[in-house]
Amino acid sequence: MPTTVELFGGTMMSPVPNPYPVYKRLRDEWPVALVDGIFGQHYLVTRYEDALTVLRDSERFSSRANARGIGLVLGRTILEMDGPEHIRHRRLITPALTPRALTSGDLPEAIRATAHDLVDRFASRGHAELVEEFTFLFPIQVFTKQFLQLPEQDAKQFHHWALDLISIADDPPRSFAAAQAIVDYLKPVLEHRRREPGEDLISLLATARVEGEQLTDEEILSFCRLLVPAGAETTYRLLGSALFALLTHPEAMDAVRQDGELLPQVIEETLRWESPVQYVTRETTMDTELGGTVIPRKMLVSVALGSANRDERRYPDPDRFDLHRDTEGHLAFGFGRHYCAGSHLGRLEARIGLEVLLERLPDLVQDDSFQDAVVGLAFRSPNALHVKYRTTKMV
Ligand code: HEM
């Protein structure tokens, strides 16, 4: 039997404060390590180049791995498909998520209006907790309202379901209950949209054809169960970590206040520095050599995106948040055929969210009670963001 290590103890959703020293040791000493995880033994890939090799090569490293994990609650989705089937299904949603589709209509203004509405609720108070009052609510409100056309008051419930869904490794009953709750909620909506389609993603899937066939209810509901966490859970984390970076690096905050054109760089460096999604998983289709280690067929391979993005072989002084570094090639959205379908939307929302906050609260700083930190193992984001401000711009 090969030797294994159990990393971090705890569970995938534990609020691990700092996994990065462990990743550094693994990168240096055991870059393709056999570890004990929730779903049994698997290989953990921590170096940038090895991560890229896995993500690039879908022949040897199949996405069907996801059927054994998150697919248990999502159902069969593009996340676990390979080859032509994956391309056919992915194509259904990607046209709605291109930069042109996102910016040619009034979506950016609608996103901005959502951000303003949220800021209005605490702008005059002089202090706020931005995770609870802003980042948790903003992307899910945008997604459920603008992309699914569901009532605004249900957005928060959807985010709680999204969080429950992705807890499959730690708390399966909670995760399955959320999957069922989403189906119960969306089934009548789907029936209605089949009869009277609108412009939203549910209608798009309800009327789509793959090789001449309509998608079944089960296929559409699974797609929606993927889109809810994918569309909100991740962006909320990116936005929170970007704010955390600015609040804890006052020189970066000053630079951005003086030049709003630096915001895309804040977003890219945050994606590299605190990647919201820390792992993606593949399964070997044959015995395979990677980084000097032979991985047997049908083994799970976890790619630690957060480690790859802090690999000093690729990014010098990787633990430093540096607004001026070259972030080119970071893997926060994955790579290859399964590259995030919503990357443009995630970036757009994060940019507008930051713009509105900095415009409305121009002297935003940490509150005296700020002891907040970015935490998490499978997903990372700040546990809270206590802030204060004296000046408020009304719009
Ligand atoms: C900052 C925000 C986001 C991050 C960090 C992120 C991260 C990722 C990553 C790492 C993957 C690759 C999964 C894999 O290779 O197995 C992925 C896939 C995906 N993401 Fe995102 N995502 C974000 C926002 C979004 C948004 C806003 C949507 C909205 C539609 C979205 C929809 C998807 C979909 C549908 C997939 C599956 C793509 C496929 O399997 O072909 N994501 N995302």
Side-chain angles (χ1 to χ4, degrees):
M1 274 295 284
T3 328
T4 63
V5 287
E6 195 181 326
L7 293 176
F8 306 113
T11 58
M12 291 310 278
M13 300 304 279
S14 300
V16 174
N18 185 8
Y20 298 112
V22 174
Y23 292 147
K24 174 161 175 39
R25 263 193 78 185
L26 286 172
R27 286 195 301 272
D28 289 345
E29 294 170 24
W30 205 6
V32 180
L34 187 59
V35 299
D36 273 326
I38 306 281
F39 297 110
Q41 286 192 347
H42 61 106
Y43 284 85
L44 183 66
V45 177
T46 45
R47 281 193 192 165
Y48 182 91
E49 280 306 324
D50 293 336
L52 207 54
T53 303
V54 173
L55 297 177
R56 221 179 234 151
D57 187 346
S58 51
E59 298 282 315
R60 282 193 299 157
F61 298 97
S62 158
S63 284
R64 69 179 175 229
N66 287 311
R68 297 204 233 166
I70 188 74
L72 295 173
V73 276
L74 296 184
R76 189 162 169 71
T77 68
I78 53 172
L79 214 51
E80 64 179 68
M81 294 176 190
D82 291 315
E85 184 195 19
H86 170 249
I87 295 172
R88 282 196 293 270
H89 284 81
R90 183 180 156 106
R91 238 192 245 142
L92 298 177
I93 55 158
T94 41
L97 297 167
T98 60
R100 177 188 276 228
L102 296 175
T103 52
S104 58
D106 51 11
L107 182 70
E109 277 323 300
I111 297 177
R112 197 171 295 279
T114 303
H116 278 294
D117 284 350
L118 288 171
V119 176
D120 283 343
R121 298 184 197 171
F122 54 80
S124 59
R125 199 196 302 141
H127 63 93
E129 201 284 86
L130 290 180
V131 171
E132 196 184 335
E133 300 185 77
F134 190 75
T135 63
F136 190 82
L137 301 170
F138 173 58
I140 193 73
Q141 285 197 359
V142 170
F143 199 70
T144 50
K145 195 166 161 200
Q146 305 301 329
F147 287 85
L148 303 182
Q149 276 170 24
L150 299 174
E152 194 174 320
Q153 68 269 20
D154 297 340
K156 199 169 178 182
Q157 174 63 70
F158 264 90
H159 201 167
H160 283 291
W161 282 335
L163 274 173
D164 288 353
L165 263 187
I166 59 169
S167 305
I168 172 73
D170 291 2
D171 190 349
R174 193 170 127 208
S175 181
F176 284 111
Q180 189 56 47
I182 294 178
V183 168
D184 293 343
Y185 181 103
L186 286 181
K187 222 166 173 181
V189 177
L190 173 58
E191 276 164 26
H192 184 258
R193 306 248 167 117
R194 274 204 198 278
R195 285 195 308 275
E196 288 176 41
E199 299 284 300
D200 58 290
L201 284 182
I202 302 174
S203 300
L204 191 143
L205 295 169
T207 52
R209 286 182 183 273
V210 175
E211 303 206 302
E213 299 282 330
Q214 279 207 330
L215 298 180
T216 62
D217 280 9
E218 184 49 36
E219 283 173 318
I220 297 171
L221 294 168
S222 294
F223 222 133
C224 293
R225 274 195 301 248
L226 165 63
L227 289 175
V228 171
E233 239 292 307
T234 48
T235 311
Y236 126 78
R237 295 180 188 276
L238 166 61
L239 188 54
S241 294
L243 282 162
F244 179 86
L246 292 175
L247 290 164
T248 53
H249 296 79
E251 69 298 339
M253 181 72 105
D254 286 344
V256 171
R257 280 193 186 115
Q258 277 165 34
D259 180 5
E261 291 305 309
L262 285 172
L263 277 177
Q265 188 52 26
V266 171
I267 291 167
E268 295 314 306
E269 174 64 345
T270 303
L271 283 162
R272 183 202 68 81
W273 185 62
E274 280 296 6
S275 307
V277 177
Q278 289 271 309
Y279 298 107
V280 297
T281 309
R282 299 292 186 262
E283 180 184 313
T284 46
T285 57
M286 58 187 86
D287 292 355
T288 291
E289 194 264 304
L290 182 72
T293 299
V294 176
I295 307 178
R297 181 170 166 264
K298 286 200 160 198
M299 279 301 288
L300 286 182
V301 177
S302 285
V303 179
L305 302 177
S307 172
N309 285 336
R310 289 203 189 203
D311 186 346
E312 38 291 282
R313 293 156 195 80
R314 169 79 194 198
Y315 300 105
D317 196 5
D319 294 332
R320 199 156 67 87
F321 178 85
D322 176 0
L323 211 44
H324 303 291
R325 81 162 68 238
D326 181 0
T327 56
E328 185 64 28
H330 72 67
L331 300 178
F333 289 118
F335 187 87
R337 287 165 187 249
H338 288 267
Y339 184 83
C340 176
S343 64
H344 303 298
L345 176 59
R347 286 178 168 124
L348 181 69
E349 286 179 359
R351 177 165 187 166
I352 294 176
L354 291 171
E355 271 171 7
V356 169
L357 273 174
L358 299 184
E359 178 196 328
R360 296 288 303 278
L361 312 172
D363 57 7
L364 187 72
V365 286
Q366 295 180 16
D367 196 2
D368 307 332
S369 64
F370 189 99
Q371 291 190 338
D372 311 330
V374 176
V375 296
L377 189 55
F379 303 93
R380 285 182 68 76
S381 58
N383 48 11
L385 289 167
H386 290 92
V387 294
K388 62 180 180 183
Y389 36 90
R390 271 201 289 265
T391 318
T392 303
K393 284 208 181 129
M394 291 300 168
V395 284

